[in-house]
Amino acid sequence: MASPTTALLDNANRANEGPPPTGWTTTGSGIKIVSNAFEAAVADGASNSAASWNIPYTAGAQEAWTTCVEAIASGGNRYYVLFCCQEVQGTYDELYEIEYDNNAGGRFRVYKVVAGVFTQLGSTFSTTMAANDQIWIHVLNGTVTGYLNGTARASGSTDGAITGTFIGQGFYVDVIAAASLDNFGGGSLPIQAVRSMHQIRMRQVAA
């Protein structure tokens, strides 16, 4: 199993506030803090309730992670989202995301969003959502990978059109579905140099 290497950014352990909570910028309807966890600002099953963390990170080399406190009830537009590489705060576009729901037996999927078009990367991982599942999105060296509880479940190639620096989290939920997130983290990743075989041979000859 793998683990994120970046820092915890917000554990929501403070008085109720938002949308948006301190340190965040609203995307869609936004998120708020209730009882030391993040919740959707609007629970109508039709609104994207999300927010991005206000610190920018390295484009093309970043990750975000969070904990899904409740297992969302199946049905309708009810799912958690986690995203990175967002270009413009407040706009749910030009980014990579995880969508995690309990429909069709439970689905974990990774998408890229470019010019308003959602394109799935890799295949759907079918699983029953459980309380306190951790989801984690990781972008590095031209690959975007979605992890569920430390195991890679979907991946694909990055898109040169996506060059954003912001990470965030959110929901599509309705009033029927209890849903909250906690312990949001993320940040920049070290860019790994990739040597060509010619460079490797030259180093071996020089040695």
Side-chain angles (χ1 to χ4, degrees), residues 34-48:
V34 178
S35 300
N36 298 324
F38 300 100
E39 293 187 0
V42 175
D44 59 6
S47 299
N48 179 347

Side-chain angles (χ1 to χ4, degrees), residues 66-79:
T66 194
T67 299
C68 306
V69 179
E70 290 91 8
I72 300 177
S74 62
N77 284 327
R78 304 173 187 164
Y79 52 86

Side-chain angles (χ1 to χ4, degrees), residues 115-189:
V117 178
F118 288 67
T119 302
Q120 186 172 352
L121 302 177
S123 58
T124 298
F125 176 67
S126 298
T127 184
T128 300
M129 185 186 298
N132 297 312
D133 278 347
Q134 185 193 64
I135 56 177
W136 164 28
I137 191 165
H138 179 281
V139 175
L140 187 66
N141 291 337
T143 301
V144 53
T145 305
Y147 291 82
L148 175 62
N149 296 325
T151 301
R153 296 303 188 185
S155 66
S157 298
T158 56
D159 191 311
I162 299 175
T163 59
T165 57
F166 295 100
I167 62 177
Q169 62 181 352
F171 313 79
Y172 262 92
V173 290
D174 56 30
V175 294
I176 297 172
S180 60
L181 294 165
D182 200 5
N183 294 327
F184 175 83
S188 297
L189 298 169

Side-chain angles (χ1 to χ4, degrees), residues 54-138:
N54 284 339
I55 298 174
Y57 297 104
T58 304
Q62 58 184 246
E63 66 181 14
W65 46 277
T66 194
T67 299
C68 306
V69 179
E70 290 91 8
I72 300 177
S74 62
N77 284 327
R78 304 173 187 164
Y79 52 86
Y80 292 111
V81 298
L82 178 70
F83 61 88
C84 66
C85 300
Q86 181 189 41
E87 292 197 359
V88 180
Q89 286 185 292
T91 302
Y92 206 84
D93 203 357
E94 313 303 324
L95 53 79
Y96 304 106
E97 65 154 19
I98 288 171
E99 292 185 6
Y100 189 30
D101 66 50
N102 240 344
N103 292 331
R107 300 175 296 185
F108 179 91
R109 295 172 290 181
V110 173
Y111 290 87
K112 67 178 180 181
V113 187
V114 179
V117 178
F118 288 67
T119 302
Q120 186 172 352
L121 302 177
S123 58
T124 298
F125 176 67
S126 298
T127 184
T128 300
M129 185 186 298
N132 297 312
D133 278 347
Q134 185 193 64
I135 56 177
W136 164 28
I137 191 165
H138 179 281

